[in-house]
Amino acid sequence: MEGPRVDIDEELSRLLTRLRLDRTEIARRLQFLQWNDTDAARLNAAAERLEPAHRLFLQRFYEHLQRCHDLAGLIADPATLLRLQHSQYDYYQRLWQGPYDRDYVLDRLRVGWIHQRVGVDTHWYLGAYRMYLDAMLQTLLGEHPQADTYASLLKAVFFDMALAIDTYNFAQSRALEESEARFARALRGANDGIWEWHVEQDRLYVSERWASMLGLSLESLEQSSASWFSRVHPDDLPDLRRAIEAHLQGHTASLRHEYRIRNRADAYIWVLVRAVAEVVGPGQHRMAGSQSDIGRRRAAVEELRHAARHDPLTGLANRAQLAELLSQALKRRQRSGARETALLFIDLDRFKLINDSLGHAAGDEVLVEVARRLRNCLRPGDHLARFGGDEFVALLDDLAVVGDAEQIAQRMLDSLRQPLHLHQQTLVISASIGIAPLTDEPGLDPLQAADLALYDAKAAGKAQFVRYNDALQSAAQRRLQLESALGQALGRAEFELHYQPICRLAQRHAYIVGVEALLRWNHHGEVISPVEFIPALEESGEIVAVGDWVLRQACHQVRTWQRAGQQRLRCSVNLSIRQLQRSDFAALVAEVLQDSGLAAADLILEITESQLMQDTAQILASLRELAELGVRLALDDFGTGFSSLGYLKRFPLHILKLDKSFISGIPEDPESQIISQAIIGLGRNLGLQVVAEGVETAAHLGFLREQGCELAQGYWFSRPRPAAGLERLFDGADCFEGLWCLLDERTNQPPPGPSHPDAAI
Ligand code: C2E
Ligand code: MG
Ligand code: MG
């Protein structure tokens, strides 16, 4: 390996600075040697006279050198020998003639420096001076009686001088070694690679560790920046070069840059390079610093970054990453020729039931499986994120038309519908999906649009997808307005009860045996259905106050009718689970019964099957207390929830209300028939009364009679009516839509009044 080329002048000026050899120092040294002008004059005067002595000395001196084999090699070549003799002769001339100025000093330093570099030992150097002084002594003093003594003294003094210099050198090199060893230990501890780069000359030195970090040996690396930069990841090289340049230009206090570098196995590892540059001459820079392997730190950072942007359960992108993906997708849309992008907002139907009934661990397993199935429905390049709970969002990019998103949504619905086996249970899952295009239209947030469409899919019966349209937004606005007005509805007496007859089906007739109180909201002259506002009341908790009002109102009304002649009329009131969750609910019911005078046996409280699934000890306690009061309990909308027959035994129930969705399928849909038949049979076998809901046609009625179902309710008999409207029925002044009926089942006689063509059934 060839040593680096060194600029002697540069080195000498550095040496001068280091030795602090300025004029003052030179003067100080000469003064200590007691040098004065007389000395210079004396030497000058003798110079010429000593010329032959010098020539003779040089001849003898080199003969002596050739005998000492250590240095013989240096002067084997006659041309070199001649050159050396010449320059040494010149030196002696200068020694005697002066002048002893700064140039003189520089010359001496230069010669010393060169000798040191070629390997002339200080002992030999001093030895040569000793021989020279000896020769001059002989020449100047000749046969002086003390000349031999002085010559011997010179030898001893030079021997001592060499020893003194050795001691000084030793102490210095020892200090240097120690500092180097400390440095080396520190480096080993830091585990960093070291590098130094002379920028303009492109000389790069790297340490052993720098190379071994890459699995390389020092020898395999060229000593130029090419061996470094050629290993830098092409994507990172421009930034690295920029960072170096910025530091060299003085724009940064130091170089500190992370980048990837290729190791021996051709894999890229992350490193951190740190350095500072210094100016080492006009337009000359040297940079030196370290390089550390930051692979593990980067991996940890990467892991954290991943964790911050992913859902730990499903491994899908989380909300934070979805936001990034959306903004990237929106940017892409602004490019010309961009194709359509759509968002699917996916929400599992009734997922809460799974969590509540099977536990959260099972719920988690379901979510993981759902995530897997949804992902399988996507095309490469699409994204799926878990938005929260049981909500997922898919971002479908590069669609020919937004309508294509419907195909993917359908695929998802089909895939989710496949039975899911979980710990010996088989679950059937469904989801509702809202689809919205990703537009850059101001004012419409695509996620919100997809969410609105999802809301509509849920409202339309779940397990389906709905595509966003502008009407959904006005509907949502209406909902919002209604919800804010709803808070004041009770105070402003805007609620009203309608009543729908519940009839006993006798052989040829139907009798009103009870009424179901159904809540209506009169808002600015519009009658709003409970389906629209009950969920909002449930959510705000206001259903409790409103429900209590309904209970009190209905009990008083029915008692009033009883007093007016409908003695056996029963009162059905719908409950919210939130009312049952109160520990004092049974006491409240008892108080209302007392206050209104209604017998407990004439009150039926209806609770929907899906609400009852939120089974808690308090609910069970409330239901038992109510049953003890003598109040009867009905399970509403039976057959639509995650029907668990266990509930029928667990709760003190008296009545099953067969949901209208089954009746409406009759007679066309055989499945509805079979389920209705089964529920009616189940009720009979368990000793429960069954009320069929939603009876609208003669065919429905015929079917129920055939099945021996005794009780029914529906538009066929009467729509829900305000109290006054029902009184007209009782009076016989009005008929049911479709037929009239007997008011008092004991008489079994049609009341006087207009007869109906279909009266006999
Ligand atoms: P529900 O308790 O199952 O009440 C029966 C619903 O079916 C009523 O809807 C009724 O108008 C409707 N209906 C009756 N006969 C027929 C028919 O032949 N065909 C069809 N298609 N529908 C029929 P409404 O009044 O809109 O009430 C909806 C639901 O709101 C009720 O279902 C009940 O769950 C809830 N609800 C009503 N009032 C109250 C209340 O005071 N408190 C609570 N918590 N919920 C109530
Ligand atoms: Mg009901
Ligand atoms: Mg119902």
Side-chain angles (χ1 to χ4, degrees), residues 155-353:
K155 291 179 189 172
V157 167
F158 270 80
F159 182 61
D160 290 0
M161 269 168 66
L163 289 175
I165 290 172
D166 278 350
T167 322
Y168 276 79
N169 276 348
F170 170 74
Q172 271 177 8
S173 65
R174 173 89 187 262
L176 194 63
E177 273 168 20
E178 274 173 11
S179 113
E180 271 177 358
R182 257 199 310 278
F183 186 56
R185 272 198 303 276
L187 278 186
R188 271 200 306 279
N191 209 14
D192 286 346
I194 295 296
W195 60 279
E196 188 184 280
W197 180 35
H198 194 298
V199 183
E200 285 73 21
Q201 294 171 9
D202 195 18
R203 278 195 332 260
L204 176 73
Y205 158 81
V206 298
S207 71
E208 192 101 37
R209 174 71 190 125
W210 193 102
S212 70
M213 209 178 271
L214 305 180
L216 301 169
S217 67
L218 259 187
E219 296 71 45
S220 66
L221 286 167
E222 295 254 335
Q223 288 194 306
S224 75
S225 61
S227 63
W228 174 17
F229 293 140
S230 65
R231 296 199 156 262
V232 176
H233 193 292
D235 293 349
D236 299 351
L237 186 57
D239 279 350
L240 174 64
R241 283 194 192 276
R242 260 193 293 277
I244 292 174
E245 199 49 39
H247 178 53
L248 285 174
Q249 300 283 328
H251 301 315
T252 51
S254 64
L255 168 69
R256 190 179 195 290
H257 192 77
E258 295 183 4
Y259 67 96
R260 284 163 294 175
I261 189 162
R262 188 164 41 84
N263 66 14
R264 191 173 155 197
D266 281 338
Y268 282 98
I269 62 166
W270 276 101
V271 290
L272 165 68
V273 64
R274 273 184 286 215
V276 280
E278 58 174 345
V279 177
V280 287
Q284 299 289 306
H285 298 87
R286 185 169 54 200
M287 274 185 122
S290 63
Q291 177 149 291
S292 354
D293 182 343
I294 52 163
R296 283 166 76 165
R297 201 195 79 203
R298 284 297 292 219
V301 169
E302 231 8 82
E303 233 170 74
L304 280 178
R305 220 175 93 83
H306 189 269
R309 298 158 86 239
H310 288 82
D311 164 47
L313 178 66
T314 57
L316 295 178
N318 65 8
R319 240 163 136 147
Q321 205 194 347
L322 176 68
E324 277 173 33
L325 290 169
L326 278 177
S327 76
Q328 286 162 8
L330 276 170
K331 266 194 213 123
R332 276 198 300 277
R333 277 207 57 71
Q334 280 152 11
R335 288 194 209 131
S336 63
R339 307 222 300 168
E340 299 295 331
T341 306
L343 273 188
L344 304 188
F345 209 126
I346 305 146
D347 185 296
L348 296 186
D349 298 330
R350 289 187 284 218
F351 178 68
K352 193 171 179 314
L353 274 183

Side-chain angles (χ1 to χ4, degrees), residues 516 574 606 608 635-638 657-660 693 713:
E516 179 175 1
N574 292 287
E606 298 189 1
T608 62
L635 195 52
D636 207 350
D637 301 348
F638 188 71
K657 294 194 80 172
L658 172 59
D659 190 68
K660 56 182 171 286
E693 290 181 325
Q713 174 182 0

Side-chain angles (χ1 to χ4, degrees), residues 499-617:
Y499 296 89
Q500 187 179 34
I502 297 171
C503 302
R504 175 180 298 283
L505 308 177
Q507 258 189 341
R508 291 170 53 82
H509 303 290
Y511 309 96
I512 300 181
V513 291
V515 287
E516 179 175 1
L518 293 160
L519 189 57
R520 298 292 179 265
W521 177 21
N522 266 315
H523 182 57
H524 298 320
E526 185 189 359
V527 178
I528 301 172
S529 145
V531 198
E532 264 197 82
F533 65 82
I534 292 237
L537 284 181
E538 299 258 10
E539 208 163 293
S540 68
E542 233 168 322
I543 189 70
V544 173
V546 176
D548 292 352
W549 176 85
V550 171
L551 179 71
R552 202 172 286 278
Q553 183 78 9
C555 289
H556 275 97
Q557 180 61 67
V558 171
R559 182 62 195 139
T560 308
W561 281 327
Q562 286 183 342
R563 289 211 177 94
Q566 314 302 324
Q567 291 118 348
R568 302 193 60 188
L569 196 66
R570 289 198 174 119
C571 174
S572 287
V573 173
N574 292 287
L575 288 187
S576 154
I577 198 79
R578 299 190 74 144
Q579 291 171 276
L580 283 174
Q581 272 158 348
R582 281 168 26 186
S583 58
D584 60 351
F585 184 66
L588 176 91
V589 173
E591 188 261 308
V592 170
L593 289 174
Q594 172 118 49
D595 192 36
S596 61
L598 191 74
D602 288 342
L603 178 62
I604 296 156
L605 294 177
E606 298 189 1
I607 180 92
T608 62
E609 188 187 14
S610 53
Q611 291 206 59
L612 207 58
M613 295 289 291
Q614 302 163 33
D615 173 13
T616 67

